[in-house]
Amino acid sequence: MDYADARKRMVNGQLRPNKVTDPRLLTAMGTIPRERFLPEGPLRARAYLDEDVRLPGPAGRALTEPMVIARLIQLAALRRGDRVLLLPAGTGYAAAVMAEMGARVVGLESDEALVRTARDAVAEIAGAEQARILHAPIEQGHAAGAPYDVILIEGEVTEVPDALVEQLAEGGRLVTVLAREGRVGHAVLGRRIGGSFTLTPAFDCAITPVREFTRAPAFVF
């Protein structure tokens, strides 16, 4: 498979027609070998499809569809030098993209096998100084590295944990996909300003749920 050609087609066929306009983001995603963030074997042939690619393991992670992860990262309005917390990190693709854009990224992942894949790929592409992948539970974030300018929860959630809001810097942004019961998920941008936290809907979005941040539907008589 010609992965370089697939990357070019991804940028021109999936990203540019779908409101991805940040030149740094387009360059990063057109440069970084997305296939490197999938296990060797048949899954790599799916790296550039316009769909989530389910990853092996018990955590239920996925390599997020290119257009969706691009629009989520763009929504975060990254600035060079921003401190970013990514959770879950999965195999590290979003961490590598944001590091390539000049952010300093800490990614948390609870699945040890995914952590090994992510560390190898990120170190090879972004460098350990720009992006670190930590093997840890994701539910409480990573207070030791706070405050963060950006927190990206890569997946669908039913609520944003207070513990993560508390780790945002003043003026910090939190991006995720929020799905209320029975409704279509939508990307949201959260901002912490003056001690308060507000969420603003951005666009409808389908993405793999993050189990740790997804409540089971309540049974109603």
Side-chain angles (χ1 to χ4, degrees):
M1 181 173 178
D2 186 343
Y3 289 120
D5 182 65
R7 275 194 297 281
K8 182 177 179 180
R9 290 175 181 273
M10 173 190 73
V11 170
N12 293 329
Q14 298 179 44
L15 306 188
R16 293 185 188 276
N18 285 290
K19 302 181 181 179
V20 181
T21 58
D22 186 329
R24 298 169 305 150
L25 178 56
L26 291 167
T27 297
M29 292 186 66
T31 302
I32 292 172
R34 184 173 160 89
E35 71 278 3
R36 179 66 179 81
F37 295 85
L38 288 169
E40 290 188 19
L43 280 182
R44 288 197 170 180
R46 301 176 61 196
Y48 295 95
L49 298 181
D50 56 348
E51 61 184 35
D52 288 1
V53 180
R54 294 281 182 166
L55 298 169
R61 309 292 191 229
L63 179 66
T64 301
E65 175 184 345
M67 183 272 287
V68 172
I69 192 58
R71 291 197 66 185
L72 291 175
I73 292 173
Q74 182 170 266
L75 186 60
L78 285 180
R79 299 181 293 256
R80 182 167 292 277
D82 272 352
R83 296 159 296 177
V84 178
L85 177 63
L86 169 67
L87 58 167
T91 54
Y93 179 72
V97 170
M98 292 188 288
E100 183 71 15
M101 295 172 68
R104 293 174 293 159
V105 186
V106 174
L108 299 187
E109 179 52 65
S110 61
D111 186 308
E112 188 172 3
L114 297 183
V115 168
R116 289 195 296 269
T117 299
R119 283 177 175 168
D120 288 347
V122 167
E124 178 183 313
I125 292 161
E129 292 185 1
Q130 282 296 117
R132 294 186 297 137
I133 307 297
L134 305 181
H135 180 216
I138 70 172
E139 291 91 331
Q140 298 300 313
H142 184 60
Y148 300 100
D149 301 298
V150 171
I151 296 177
L152 173 58
I153 306 175
E154 188 181 343
E156 182 182 286
V157 307
T158 55
E159 59 185 359
V160 176
D162 291 340
L164 298 185
V165 175
E166 291 301 314
Q167 292 173 32
L168 275 176
E170 175 67 17
R173 293 90 68 201
L174 184 147
V175 172
T176 189
V177 175
L178 188 65
R180 302 299 188 189
E181 189 174 347
R183 298 183 183 179
V184 175
H186 51 266
V188 292
L189 173 63
R191 291 184 179 273
R192 186 175 186 183
I193 300 175
S196 64
F197 180 72
T198 57
L199 283 172
T200 303
F203 55 90
D204 290 346
C205 182
I207 193 172
T208 300
V210 181
R211 293 179 180 178
E212 292 90 336
F213 301 137
T214 305
R215 291 181 299 180
F219 182 78
V220 179
F221 290 96

